[in-house]
Amino acid sequence: MPFLGQDWRSPGWSWIKTEDGWKRCESCSQELERENDQCNINHNVILNSEDEEIFDNEQHEYTSKKRKKDHFRNDTNTQSFYREKWIYVHKESTKERHGYCTLGEAFNRLDFSSAIQDIRRFNYVVKLLQLIAKSQLTSLSGVAQKNYFNILDKIVQKVLDDHQNPRLIKDLLQDLSSTLRILIRGVGKSVLVGNINIWICRLETILTWQQQLQNLQMTKVNSGLTLSDLPLHMLNNILYRFSDGWDIITLGQVTPTLYMLSEDRQLWKKLCQYHFAEKQFCRHLILSEKGHIEWKLMYFALQKYYPTKEQYGDTLHFCRHCSILFWKDYHLALLFKDSGHPCTAADPDSCFMPVSPQHFIDLFKF
């Protein structure tokens, strides 16, 4: 199809396929008006006094319209998703394969869009997006950036609908907004793929998401069995199942009984012993006035110096024999002995290893 657009850098027109052939989509003006209504956040929130040179007050109206137009042309709702369950990770060219696999390519081709709908993989994908936001955002291609923000939009809408895991998404958006502010202020000094106006619109969208999550109200259940109806030993057992200290504190705010159980020293001792080694305890001992160890304070102190253990219901897997990164489908594995990718090893299961979010990032560092 011929390339049509206002200039050679534009993405061209939007086309739809009909029975009479391809026709150009004529709803651009309506979509642009909708974008203008949504992106009405005060720009003083985004840029501080040092950034006033980016937006001159006299040209504010013109710049705002231009940003909306650029953002429409690079609409993040345009999906470029693959539905692949596995990809071959190659870091150099061979006779059989030319080029190499990048982080952006892996992010595009692996089916993260469906993974966020699986409760076992949701936390894993969120942590991966957070690591990318902190250090690898500039390494993503333009298409990978669109997919990144499209998946992020689906995650936010999912949290707003089912009211689950809002704290994880708040932390992700906070890290992402901090990174974008640094990149926008240092434009020209760092590699930033895409127009500066597109990134500012993305930052505005993130601020909108943060406001929506801040105003999120949990629905109160007026009928049926609640936590208050459970016996103390069952409530205590629930608290001992948590591996995150913030989850314990949050649950302790529900009722006075749960608060009393959440302050148990033995509970925080077990949590510290799960995440940290005894040598680390000795370096950061915190004692009370009576000489007792403050395990709760120690947990949050140790968290600043050492990484905690990460728990995920399901992760990506890497086959050391085939150098393939894949999602493992446990249902197919049980029914048809399907490993999740075309493995040629005699014993495929012995070649598999789970891939943590940080390991996923490290796989594509050259």
Side-chain angles (χ1 to χ4, degrees):
M1 177 178 291
F3 185 90
L4 298 177
Q6 293 182 352
D7 62 283
W8 62 272
R9 295 168 296 181
S10 74
W13 298 106
S14 297
W15 295 80
I16 56 175
K17 189 175 183 180
T18 64
E19 296 179 355
D20 299 330
W22 289 90
K23 292 185 177 181
R24 185 158 61 92
C25 183
E26 300 294 344
S27 60
C28 298
S29 59
Q30 299 177 358
E31 293 291 333
L32 186 57
E33 291 177 0
R34 181 175 60 85
E35 292 291 329
N36 289 335
D37 293 337
Q38 293 178 353
C39 301
N40 57 358
I41 297 179
N42 188 359
H43 301 90
N44 294 329
V45 180
I46 303 174
L47 303 176
N48 56 21
S49 58
E50 298 176 357
D51 306 310
E52 291 180 355
E53 58 184 10
I54 299 180
F55 289 99
D56 188 10
N57 293 331
E58 297 179 357
Q59 299 178 350
H60 173 75
E61 183 178 357
Y62 168 77
T63 308
S64 179
K65 291 181 179 179
K66 187 176 186 299
R67 285 206 330 274
K68 305 305 183 300
K69 190 178 296 184
D70 289 337
H71 184 253
F72 173 74
R73 291 174 181 171
N74 295 269
D75 188 7
T76 54
N77 291 328
T78 304
Q79 298 188 21
S80 300
F81 289 133
Y82 290 81
R83 295 286 180 178
E84 298 183 18
K85 296 294 184 181
W86 59 270
I87 61 169
Y88 180 79
V89 180
H90 52 290
K91 296 186 177 181
E92 58 184 8
S93 298
T94 62
K95 293 181 179 179
E96 294 79 12
R97 293 178 179 269
H98 295 280
Y100 55 89
C101 185
T102 63
L103 175 63
E105 182 182 356
F107 189 80
N108 288 338
R109 295 176 59 189
L110 289 171
D111 192 7
F112 286 102
S113 181
S114 299
I116 61 176
Q117 305 300 329
D118 190 335
I119 191 172
R120 300 171 304 168
R121 299 172 178 175
F122 182 83
N123 290 5
Y124 179 81
V125 177
V126 171
K127 182 63 176 179
L128 181 58
L129 293 181
Q130 189 172 15
L131 291 179
I132 293 177
K134 288 181 177 179
S135 60
Q136 301 296 321
L137 195 61
T138 56
S139 66
L140 297 180
S141 64
V143 175
Q145 290 173 10
K146 289 184 179 182
N147 290 343
Y148 180 95
F149 283 93
N150 203 341
I151 292 175
L152 186 57
D153 180 39
K154 291 184 177 181
I155 290 177
V156 173
Q157 297 307 318
K158 177 178 172 61
V159 173
L160 293 175
D161 292 338
D162 57 24
H163 297 179
Q164 295 182 9
N165 301 306
R167 182 173 56 83
L168 293 177
I169 311 307
K170 288 180 181 179
D171 294 341
L172 167 59
L173 294 179
Q174 182 61 39
D175 292 337
L176 183 57
S177 62
S178 300
T179 301
L180 285 185
R181 283 190 177 96
I182 295 173
L183 292 175
I184 291 173
R185 292 170 189 165
V187 61
K189 301 178 182 178
S190 59
V191 179
L192 190 62
V193 179
N195 193 306
I196 182 63
N197 297 324
I198 299 172
W199 286 100
I200 293 178
C201 278
R202 287 171 176 170
L203 182 54
E204 290 178 344
T205 303
I206 293 172
L207 295 177
T208 302
W209 289 337
Q210 288 179 319
Q211 189 64 37
Q212 291 174 346
L213 292 173
Q214 191 68 27
N215 299 332
L216 181 63
Q217 297 292 332
M218 299 297 178
T219 55
K220 186 176 181 180
V221 180
N222 297 322
S223 61
L225 188 66
T226 63
L227 286 175
S228 302
D229 301 323
L230 299 177
L232 289 180
H233 72 276
M234 293 187 66
L235 294 175
N236 201 40
N237 192 21
I238 292 175
L239 287 169
Y240 271 85
R241 299 289 180 178
F242 288 132
S243 60
D244 191 332
W246 285 110
D247 291 336
I248 296 177
I249 292 177
T250 303
L251 186 58
Q253 297 173 350
V254 176
T255 63
T257 302
L258 286 170
Y259 175 77
M260 177 191 67
L261 295 176
S262 66
E263 293 295 319
D264 182 21
R265 293 180 61 254
Q266 191 66 22
L267 172 64
W268 290 97
K269 179 180 178 180
K270 291 287 186 182
L271 192 63
C272 288
Q273 291 175 342
Y274 172 76
H275 287 287
F276 310 106
E278 292 185 5
K279 292 182 179 180
Q280 297 170 343
F281 296 161
C282 300
R283 299 174 184 173
H284 304 278
L285 274 178
I286 300 178
L287 301 177
S288 64
E289 295 179 357
K290 298 181 180 180
H292 300 299
I293 299 177
E294 295 286 353
W295 291 105
K296 181 179 179 180
L297 297 178
M298 276 190 57
Y299 170 80
F300 291 104
L302 291 170
Q303 205 176 30
K304 298 178 181 179
Y305 298 99
Y306 309 105
T308 57
K309 291 183 179 179
E310 297 178 353
Q311 278 189 336
Y312 303 105
D314 189 17
T315 68
L316 285 165
H317 287 72
F318 183 72
C319 179
R320 294 185 293 267
H321 177 76
C322 306
S323 296
I324 284 180
L325 191 65
F326 65 98
W327 291 109
K328 189 173 183 179
D329 195 323
Y330 292 97
H331 298 289
L332 293 178
L334 291 174
L335 294 176
F336 307 107
K337 296 183 179 181
D338 186 358
S339 62
H341 76 285
C343 186
T344 58
D347 186 12
D349 291 338
S350 63
C351 304
F352 300 163
M353 58 178 293
V355 178
S356 67
Q358 185 59 54
H359 187 196
F360 179 89
I361 300 295
D362 296 338
L363 278 175
F364 303 97
K365 289 183 178 179
F366 302 104

